[in-house]
Each structure stands twice: as C-alpha cells, then as structure tokens.
Amino acid sequence: RAVQGMLDFDYVCRRSQPSVAAMVYPMVGGDSKQNFYWGHKEILIPIYKSMADAMKNHPDVDVMVNFASLRSAYDSTIECMGYPQIKTIAIIAEGIPENFTRKLIKLANEKKVTIIGPATVGGVKPGCFKIGNTGGMMDNILHSKLYRPGSVAYVSRSGGMS
C-alpha cells in the first residue's frame, strides 16, 4: 500500500518516471515483478530476493526505504550501508532498541549516509517525493496541494502528528 501511495504521489507531481525503482523481499522464491499503477496504466516493479541483486541492477538508486519489521530492520539497514551508492535510508520500523539505533547512527555518520528514523512514517517534499505513508490518502494530498513544488519538506517521527 505504501509503495502504491508513493507512486500515486509521483504521478500527481508529474514526475516523468516513478521514484520506486525496485523492491527487495527475501521471502520470494526468486526475482520477480509486481503490478502497480502509474496513473491509469499498469507498470511492473521488479522484486529481488537479495539487496546485492537490486543494487547490481539499479546502480543509480541512492535512497532506500526500509519497511522491514523490527526483527530485521537493523540487519537490513546495516547491509544496505555496505553499498556506497546509498546516501539516504528511511527506517519505518518501530521498536528498534536504542543501543542498535546508536550503532546505526554511528555507522551512518562514518559512511556519510543520512538516516531518517527509525520509527518514522516517512516524509514528503511537496512536488518532489513522498517516503512511506506520510501525508495521508491521495484525497488529502490533492486537497492540501502537496503535489505542487514548494520550499518546505516534512519528516515525521509521529504517525499521530502526520
């Protein structure tokens, strides 16, 4: 649902192509594709079993939105920081222990990677991009004109405040 919301936001912002390049889902049997909508037409987003395959096939990707559960968010974030092309990671999972978060921040600072989260619902820069579920449903985004470019970006640590 979050991925479709991000694609819908991209579309109403009149991006020329989706901001979601691929997904990594280790539970799938192998690399595959999943249908999503880009406006009124269907598009296929590749799903990879491993981060290595995704990074190899999408060398221009520099942002990762980590929707992994509490149990695997720390490890998958550490793995992602092993790829120098990644410059920003948004971690959606709640409940990552504080000592793990401190380790993530330390490593991110060493690798010059920006961390958003953990425990964020995402962020939005009007007219540019949307990360995660922030901003509400599409009717709210249209009503509040978040699809228009502006000078304010929004990042939330509280689902109740967004």
Side-chain angles (χ1 to χ4, degrees):
R1 187 173 147 203
V3 171
Q4 185 62 62
M6 291 164 60
L7 294 170
D8 291 343
F9 186 83
D10 290 346
Y11 185 79
V12 298
C13 290
R14 297 192 171 128
R15 288 181 68 112
S16 60
Q17 63 184 21
S19 62
V20 178
M23 299 184 299
V24 176
Y25 189 61
M27 307 307 188
V28 297
D31 294 348
S32 61
K33 296 184 186 292
Q34 184 171 338
N35 290 4
F36 287 97
Y37 287 99
W38 178 252
H40 295 290
K41 79 175 193 184
E42 283 188 69
I43 60 170
L44 296 171
I45 303 283
I47 301 174
Y48 298 98
K49 189 170 176 67
S50 73
M51 185 74 70
D53 288 344
M55 296 294 110
K56 180 179 70 178
N57 288 299
H58 301 278
D60 55 334
V61 168
D62 62 355
V63 176
M64 195 263 279
V65 182
N66 190 341
F67 287 102
S69 72
L70 159 66
R71 293 180 295 283
S72 60
Y74 175 80
D75 291 334
S76 58
T77 301
I78 295 290
E79 178 186 4
C80 187
M81 281 195 264
Y83 297 94
Q85 73 197 61
I86 299 296
K87 302 297 180 208
T88 305
I89 302 172
I91 307 168
I92 307 299
E94 293 182 33
I96 295 177
E98 186 176 340
N99 61 326
F100 282 19
T101 301
R102 289 177 193 269
K103 290 176 186 175
L104 286 174
I105 291 169
K106 183 176 187 284
L107 183 60
N109 287 336
E110 291 170 6
K111 294 188 174 276
K112 297 184 178 15
V113 172
T114 301
I115 297 282
I116 302 169
T120 183
V121 292
V124 62
K125 181 177 178 188
C128 189
F129 64 85
K130 174 182 166 183
I131 298 172
N133 287 315
T134 197
M137 302 300 291
M138 188 51 60
D139 58 341
N140 180 60
I141 288 169
L142 294 172
H143 180 71
S144 56
K145 298 180 175 56
L146 288 174
Y147 57 88
R148 296 187 316 189
S151 60
V152 177
Y154 165 75
V155 177
S156 174
R157 278 195 45 94
S158 170
M161 296 297 288
S162 62

